[in-house]
Amino acid sequence: MLYALLCYNDEDVVWAWDKAQEAEVMGRLAVVRARLAKAGKLGPSLRLLPTTAATTFRKSDPPLVIDGPFAETKEQLLGIYIIDVADLDEALAVAKDLGDANPGGAYEIRPLALYNEGSRDAVAKGAVTA
Amino acid sequence: MSDLAWINAAISAARPQAVGALLRYFRDLDTAEEAFQDACLRALNNWPKNGPPRDPAAWLIMVGRNAALDGVRKRSRQTELPSEDLLSDLDDAEERVADRIDAADYRDDVLRLLFICCHPDLPATQQIALALRIVSGLSVKQIARAFLVSEAAMEQRITRAKRIVAEGDAEFETPGPVERAERLAAVAAMLYLVFNEGYSAGDNPARAQLCGEAIRLTRLLLRLYQTEPEIMGLLALMLVQHARTPARFDADGQIVLLDDQDRSLWIGPMVNEGLALIDKAMRHRRPGAYQVQAAIAALHARAPTPAQTDWPQIDRLYAALERLTPSPVITLNRAVAVSKVAGPEAALEMIAPLADRLSGYFHFHGLTGALNLELGRHREARVAFDRAIALANTAAEAAHIRQHLDRLAHDHAPAGGAAK
């Protein structure tokens, strides 16, 4: 069974960590990640850049591009894509294509700070049982 | 991270909102700061016992306000307000306060707090010191270390700055759109001063830390004003420049110029955040000086090697910047791009008319020297470098020019003079 863990915290605090604090937390997380990876239980993990770097693409007609993160409360987080594109315009073009295929709701487009592939075993295993 | 480290981080993140709201409430900076201080002491006592509140800013505002009012009540022998121990996380009272102090108020509170530091009667360094003290909450000792002055001298400066601010009539009504835009522009300029103070710090780590502080405050400002392209541009500019920090100095603390920097040392996520922000800003098609400067920095960041830098586009962006904010320093910067596109001769021609206005400017003579060196005019180069070294602002700048002079002397000594 594949699960996603979605990480929430106060970004004002987390993005103000100094180098020592950052290293301390990352070090502890690395220990947990290594254990999971060894057991073949770790899929991709990633860290998002702050919400100030986000743009929201609302799939209305016509679509609306809004500065900042997705802020409505009447919709729920249903899925996530990782895409590798040159710039925001290309990311918005991808959002438009996806939106044409699946109208309604919105995409929050947020650049990544970090991306770890994880142990592919876990992903492959999950794909079989899915 | 220990409880205490976490609490300190939460308090400093909440500080601009909390002090800003308390200032609106009490309309007096000293009272607001005292109330906040009081709330922090209570947080240190309360949070480890009851767990951190969901909204630390709202907690600190409410407790700070009650503490200040409580003082008044005690003096007039009235009933005390309930202690904050009874007001646990998301207690009704806290929720009510959080509701009342909604996002719109927060925005203007933080902006007001930053804006009072931009008082026109305060010289730039005092604006910075005041902002670091009251908005960032750095100690007088930390600020004094950053500015290389004694603690007593800094204490005095900040007290004087506060008095000037208190005598001015700060505007406590909700600002209109025009006023808000003016405040944002003044605050942006002040935040960029804070950043540059850190950026030019060289090997003083206390001062270098100001870059991170400026970024933190600008990010906060952008979160409150999400659709302002110039604030996006300012944050992008800071991030892309700050990302170069690990590559800017060599092991001996000497400056490494952009062309010679090891680009693999640039902090990738910080560059990416900057690039994402400049992309966002440009979509607004409302150009401004910070956006153009960020776009220039972004072109450097996007070039995998110096040789792949898009100099023609940088030249065009500097031309745009000259139109937006004409200044000889910008023309001087443009000359660097021109030297790459049209050669050093054209660049020298471009900066020649600036000689009078920039005669006391280190970088003017540094660039004049470098361009002449490129053209093989060693005598002119040496004259310019000699002037530059006399005007160097930091030891690293002086050392960099010294390298050029040493090389000139070395190349020249054995054969140079005799050959002619």
Side-chain angles (χ1 to χ4, degrees):
Chain A
M1 181 80 180
L2 291 179
Y3 273 99
L5 300 189
L6 309 170
C7 315
Y8 292 89
N9 208 335
D10 183 342
E11 65 179 347
D12 286 350
V13 173
V14 172
W15 283 98
W17 282 345
D18 62 29
K19 268 192 202 136
Q21 288 169 321
E22 171 93 20
E24 192 190 326
V25 177
M26 289 302 137
R28 283 202 305 265
L29 287 175
V31 173
V32 181
R33 272 217 308 272
R35 197 175 65 221
L36 285 168
K38 209 173 153 199
K41 294 183 178 182
L42 185 68
S45 58
L46 52 96
R47 187 172 180 185
L48 303 174
L49 283 166
T51 55
T52 38
T55 304
T56 298
F57 180 90
R58 179 148 283 287
K59 294 188 263 175
S60 48
D61 190 23
L64 215 59
V65 177
I66 306 155
D67 289 311
F70 180 74
E72 301 293 324
T73 47
K74 62 182 203 291
E75 288 132 322
Q76 290 75 40
L77 179 66
L78 299 187
I80 188 164
Y81 288 90
I82 305 295
I83 55 173
D84 189 356
V85 291
D87 52 25
L88 178 62
D89 281 344
E90 196 185 345
L92 283 166
V94 173
K96 192 187 169 303
D97 288 346
L98 291 170
D100 288 345
N102 177 18
Y107 296 116
E108 177 180 323
I109 300 162
R110 184 108 73 95
L112 299 193
L114 277 178
Y115 179 74
N116 296 309
E117 199 73 55
S119 74
R120 287 163 178 278
D121 272 5
V123 182
K125 238 188 316 180
V128 174
T129 48
Chain B
M1 207 181 295
S2 69
D3 260 5
L4 192 63
W6 178 260
I7 289 174
N8 279 333
I11 285 179
S12 65
R15 182 181 172 105
Q17 280 101 329
V19 177
L22 290 166
L23 175 65
R24 169 163 47 89
Y25 192 75
F26 293 111
R27 307 199 165 198
D28 174 72
L29 190 54
D30 282 335
T31 313
E33 275 197 295
E34 257 164 54
F36 179 75
Q37 222 45 55
D38 216 332
C40 290
L41 288 176
R42 290 171 195 230
L44 286 171
N45 183 36
N46 180 299
W47 294 2
K49 272 190 295 182
N50 297 333
R54 176 113 41 109
D55 186 343
W59 193 99
L60 291 165
I61 293 163
M62 182 185 60
V63 170
R65 213 175 58 176
N66 285 357
L69 293 176
D70 205 18
V72 177
R73 274 164 210 256
K74 264 187 194 143
R75 281 194 288 279
S76 57
R77 288 169 184 269
Q78 288 181 356
T79 344
E80 285 183 31
L81 292 169
S83 101
E84 70 282 359
D85 277 335
L86 302 172
L87 306 164
S88 60
D89 183 33
L90 283 189
D91 187 279
D92 284 354
E94 189 182 332
E95 209 152 22
R96 277 204 308 277
V97 172
D99 279 351
R100 215 165 38 227
I101 307 164
D102 64 12
D105 280 337
Y106 270 160
R107 281 167 37 133
D108 291 327
D109 286 347
V110 173
L111 184 59
R112 179 183 303 111
L113 189 63
L114 284 161
F115 183 66
I116 60 168
C117 302
C118 309
H119 196 289
D121 291 347
L122 291 178
T125 50
Q126 287 191 28
Q127 294 188 6
I128 298 172
L130 191 62
L132 292 172
R133 180 70 205 98
I134 67 173
V135 189
S136 298
L138 297 192
S139 68
V140 172
K141 193 173 168 185
Q142 283 172 303
I143 303 168
R145 215 179 292 149
F147 284 94
L148 299 172
V149 299
S150 73
E151 217 178 310
M154 186 48 79
E155 180 81 64
Q156 213 175 22
R157 264 191 227 175
I158 291 175
T159 309
R160 206 179 314 136
K162 275 190 187 168
R163 203 173 48 231
I164 290 176
V165 166
E167 280 163 6
D169 35 9
E171 187 56 68
F172 288 98
E173 305 313 316
T174 304
V178 175
E179 205 179 0
R180 198 177 276 137
E182 283 169 3
R183 288 185 188 188
L184 269 172
V187 165
M190 189 270 289
L191 291 174
Y192 196 41
L193 284 176
V194 175
F195 180 83
N196 276 322
E197 205 52 52
Y199 197 71
S200 58
D203 42 10
N204 173 357
R207 208 163 116 199
Q209 159 204 334
L210 301 190
C211 287
E213 199 45 47
I215 287 172
R216 187 174 80 92
L217 293 177
T218 309
R219 225 185 239 141
L220 171 66
L221 197 62
L222 180 58
R223 204 150 57 73
L224 300 173
Y225 295 91
Q226 297 201 352
T227 57
E228 290 295 332
E230 270 295 82
I231 306 298
M232 295 174 199
L234 176 61
L235 182 55
L237 176 60
M238 290 178 179
L239 287 164
V240 175
Q241 285 183 310
H242 193 47
R244 298 178 195 147
T245 303
R248 281 181 64 218
F249 299 94
D250 66 15
D252 304 324
Q254 312 274 0
I255 295 179
V256 182
L257 292 184
L258 192 57
D259 276 7
D260 304 324
Q261 288 175 13
D262 176 355
R263 298 185 174 213
S264 70
L265 294 178
W266 290 356
I267 303 167
M270 217 179 263
V271 172
N272 288 341
E273 189 182 350
L275 295 180
L277 284 164
I278 191 66
D279 281 356
K280 277 178 70 169
M282 307 241 274
R283 290 181 50 83
H284 285 262
R285 312 224 173 279
R286 269 166 52 204
Y290 296 121
Q291 290 172 74
V292 176
Q293 291 174 82
I296 293 167
L299 284 175
H300 287 298
R302 284 188 202 271
T305 64
Q308 287 163 278
T309 307
D310 187 351
W311 288 110
Q313 182 62 15
I314 290 181
D315 180 24
R316 280 191 288 277
L317 286 167
Y318 270 120
L321 195 56
E322 276 182 313
R323 282 194 298 276
L324 282 166
T325 51
S327 116
V329 172
I330 289 165
T331 308
L332 189 70
N333 281 314
R334 187 178 171 198
V336 176
V338 167
S339 80
K340 306 279 185 181
V341 177
E345 190 93 60
L348 274 176
E349 236 167 77
M350 182 169 211
I351 64 171
L354 310 176
D356 275 353
R357 275 176 296 166
L358 294 182
S359 62
Y361 190 56
F362 166 79
H363 292 287
F364 174 78
H365 300 290
L367 181 63
T368 305
L371 293 170
N372 276 304
L373 188 63
E374 237 182 287
L375 289 165
R377 299 176 187 159
H378 290 187
R379 201 180 54 80
E380 288 88 342
R382 194 173 312 110
V383 171
F385 285 140
D386 278 338
R387 285 205 194 127
I389 208 162
L391 293 164
N393 303 301
T394 63
E397 279 180 359
H400 178 72
I401 297 295
R402 171 66 53 205
Q403 280 180 346
H404 280 308
L405 281 170
D406 286 352
R407 213 173 301 137
L408 270 172
H410 187 260
D411 292 351
H412 225 64
K420 293 201 173 162

